[in-house]
Amino acid sequence: MTTTTQHAPPTKPRKVRRYSTTDRVVLTLMLGAPALVVLAFIWGPALGSVFLSFTRWNGVTPMEPVGFQNYHQAATIYPPFWPALQHNVIWLLVLGLVATPLGLFLAVLLDKNIKGTRVYQSIFYMPVVLSLALVGFIWTLLYSQDQGLINQLTGANVNWLGNSDINLWAVLVAASWRHVGYIMILYLAGLKGVDESIKEAAAIDGANQRQTFFRVVFPTLKPINVIVLVVTVIEGLRAFDIVYIINKGTNGLELLSVLITNNIIGEASRIGFGSAIAVILLVISLVFIITYLVQTFTKEGAK
């Protein structure tokens, strides 16, 4: 009895795509040029600031290594530092806990395709196209004690921007006005990409609209949540234009970004000291962003 062995048909060898010299040049330029721009304008200055933070330098005389002296001085004998840090934290919390949820709420409403959705989108998004400096100028007119619209309508005589007890909160309203529209557009884009079938399946299972959103829709927005977090942290910690337009970041509006500018390009240029404050601001930003990303991807990997 003989057995026949069936051999698999020979597989065709894969064709290895060969790139021409022109292709390699194009790919190198497309990948290398953006990488060089990022290194030159983002990582280069960031690493340079870290190096300068350990020196005493005014931009003219030779650099003098001082170790951690700049950080120690900022935390101990530089009065504006702690108020500025506190204001930055408040700024970040207001944007993250008030303005961002409000932007999400507006996105959910507009996603329902209510009448006039396009008009509302344009109205809420309009502040986003304005710079913070222009936003500051607009709200300075609204908050003016003598001829401001708010005092005229309410009949009050409140010095909204001159009173250090309330001017931070007044400016945060202006900053949130712009931030809400930005967050709304980000979430609205994410909601438009959610598969309608998962909403229908949740409804069939008996879930109401609130349960459907928080248990089904919102988890699918994880990539948008990461973007929103990064945007909120950056907006909260780099705020500068709006307070500088109002009163140059003084009298209750001190922020770390203002201190950095005043020390680096002020009359008494202290580039090393200003760089130390910039590094502190960078570390605070990374703590928020990295912590969130680690928690997010750890939970995702555990599933």
Side-chain angles (χ1 to χ4, degrees), residues 143-300:
Y143 281 133
S144 175
Q145 184 176 3
D146 299 326
Q147 299 178 346
L149 180 62
I150 296 177
N151 282 348
Q152 292 291 330
L153 292 177
T154 61
N157 188 32
V158 179
N159 189 3
W160 295 99
L161 301 178
N163 188 339
S164 60
D165 293 329
I166 62 175
N167 57 6
L168 178 64
W169 305 104
V171 173
L172 279 170
V173 171
S176 297
W177 176 62
R178 182 178 183 272
H179 187 73
V180 165
Y182 194 6
I183 300 303
M184 178 202 71
I185 288 297
L186 290 176
Y187 273 122
L188 189 59
L191 290 170
K192 294 299 183 182
V194 176
D195 190 353
E196 290 293 331
S197 63
I198 64 174
K199 298 179 184 179
E200 297 173 358
I204 293 175
D205 290 338
N208 55 34
Q209 290 188 357
R210 180 177 177 275
Q211 293 172 330
T212 299
F213 177 76
F214 285 104
R215 297 184 181 182
V216 179
V217 176
F218 191 71
T220 65
L221 299 176
K222 185 177 295 184
I224 303 298
N225 290 334
V226 173
I227 296 174
V228 167
L229 171 79
V230 174
V231 168
T232 302
V233 170
I234 292 175
E235 290 290 326
L237 296 179
R238 77 171 179 87
F240 170 81
D241 316 52
I242 189 168
V243 297
Y244 206 79
I245 283 292
I246 291 172
N247 66 357
K248 297 190 182 300
T250 59
N251 189 33
L253 292 180
E254 296 84 359
L255 294 174
L256 292 178
S257 57
V258 176
L259 301 187
I260 295 169
T261 302
N262 290 342
N263 280 280
I264 291 180
I265 63 174
E267 294 181 1
S269 181
R270 299 193 296 172
I271 297 177
F273 187 77
S275 297
I277 300 177
V279 172
I280 293 173
L281 186 59
L282 174 64
V283 170
I284 295 173
S285 304
L286 292 177
V287 166
F288 280 98
I289 295 172
I290 292 175
T291 300
Y292 179 82
L293 293 179
V294 168
Q295 292 180 348
T296 300
F297 290 110
T298 299
K299 291 179 181 178
E300 184 176 350

Side-chain angles (χ1 to χ4, degrees), residues 25 27 31 43 56 62 76 79 85 93 98 106 149 152-153 180 188 194 203 280 282 295:
V25 171
L27 289 173
L31 297 177
W43 289 108
R56 181 184 293 114
T76 56
L85 179 60
L93 291 176
V98 179
L106 292 177
L149 180 62
Q152 292 291 330
L153 292 177
V180 165
L188 189 59
V194 176
I280 293 173
L282 174 64
Q295 292 180 348

Side-chain angles (χ1 to χ4, degrees), residues 32-80:
L36 289 176
V37 171
V38 171
L39 288 174
F41 294 101
I42 297 180
W43 289 108
L47 295 176
S49 295
V50 174
F51 171 76
L52 290 173
S53 68
F54 296 103
T55 67
R56 181 184 293 114
W57 188 43
N58 60 7
V60 179
T61 60
M63 291 184 187
E64 178 185 350
V66 294
F68 288 92
Q69 183 177 337
N70 288 328
Y71 295 96
H72 181 264
Q73 290 180 353
T76 56
I77 62 173
Y78 188 55

